Amino acid sequence: MKFNTALLHGDFRGDKATGATLTPVYQSSAFEHESAEELEKIFNNRAPGFSYTRISNPTIDAFEKRMTALEGGVASVACASGMAALYNAFCNILCAGDEIVSSASLYGGSIDLFRDLESFGIKTRYVENNNLEEFRAATNEHTRLYFAETIGNPRLDVTDIKKLAELAHSFDIPLIMDNTVATAYLVKPLSLGADIVVNSTSKYINANSSAISGVITDGGKFKWDTEKYPGMKDFKKFGPFAYTAKLRNGLFRNTGACLSPQNAFYNSIGMETLGLRMERVCDNAKTLAQFFATEYSDIEVNYPGLAGSKWHNIATEQFGDKFGGIITIRTGNKKRAFGIIDALKLPLIVSNIGDTKTLVIHPESTLNVHSTQEEKETAGVFDDLIRISVGIEDIEDLIDDFKQAIESVKDVY
Ligand SMILES: *Cc1c(COP(=O)(O)O)cnc(C)c1O
């Protein structure tokens, strides 16, 4: 099946019990069983079934199956947020004393999370994305994983997943990719050698900013060395499901990171149109980026779909002719950036991305407010920068609106 058909017609479809065309919202914390023996089996992973929604739930299970199919993995775990998913994805395999080597071009929340992990004795070494020599040099006997974003938010650099996965595997460590900005529409990181993929499904998957959530999808291929990952010892018997089995029976249930069934339901609805929306969003973003590039010599536009982008070649190699929905522009100074944002009539000033509507934000004063100056610079965040998450509006209206906003502050700044 091709992309859009697969979103609709996988084995996650409908509800076997009732014939409902979408798995309904099973708004129940716990599930009743006929006998003590039956519940014992479920708790001991010896029979399928549901016991308690903190561990699993039919509505959430249906959404997880859709995500597994979308990313081409073996199993997924849905969490209450993208940040909960990232925390669980990392800490499922880390112990005090372990180290992470990460691209420095990250979402601000991930930089904050890595700082929190330092209190537990887990150190993160940041390197320039795609600089394999830097990745190699930062790797030592304590390194337990590599991490990068497919498209860095908001730097918009594009990770060469295949090369990074090869390097990680040469050290017998996994590559974890955050695929939130690119989505599986542009690329499936597991198919290029990544081992685990995390999505903040609050964004493009959800579609309408109606629910916060995040999903971890395991590719099932990584061979866990139990010397390096001692926690995996008890789970090796699950074969390709070892990582997910450890997560669901451990940190995920013990931190109470579960998603609500209602939010899983919203996401299952939203993701059915992922392909249609991404196609439109990518086309709109490219046209808008070209508009900035050709019309304004005093505005610097960053978009991997522009031939002038440093990451255009690797983006083309991995994505083909679509480059995602995020653009950043540098306006020269913070006052002009604020002026343009305030003069826009259509885009919403909000802190997320991936909505059907166009969204704008000034990341330096918001998302990255906890980052140090150096962290901001390596993450591509400057005080004159506006991030635009392009929506599915008619492109003529978007261009007209940006034109009037830029014109309206021309004489002021
Ligand atoms: C939004 C985002 C997150 C965090 O996801 P939440 O659902 O907001 O917790 C992580 N990574 C990237 C790239 C994001 O854009």
Side-chain angles (χ1 to χ4, degrees), residues 81-83 86 107 149 153 178 180 200 202-203 212-213 353:
S81 68
M83 291 317 303
L86 285 168
Y107 173 70
E149 296 177 3
N153 177 9
D178 181 334
T180 304
S200 165
S202 319
K203 316 287 174 55
I212 297 288
S213 60
I353 57 167

Side-chain angles (χ1 to χ4, degrees), residues 8 11 77 174 178 189 203 286 323 364 368:
L8 304 169
D11 66 359
V77 176
D178 181 334
K203 316 287 174 55
K286 194 168 183 184
F323 302 94
E364 198 268 340
N368 289 81

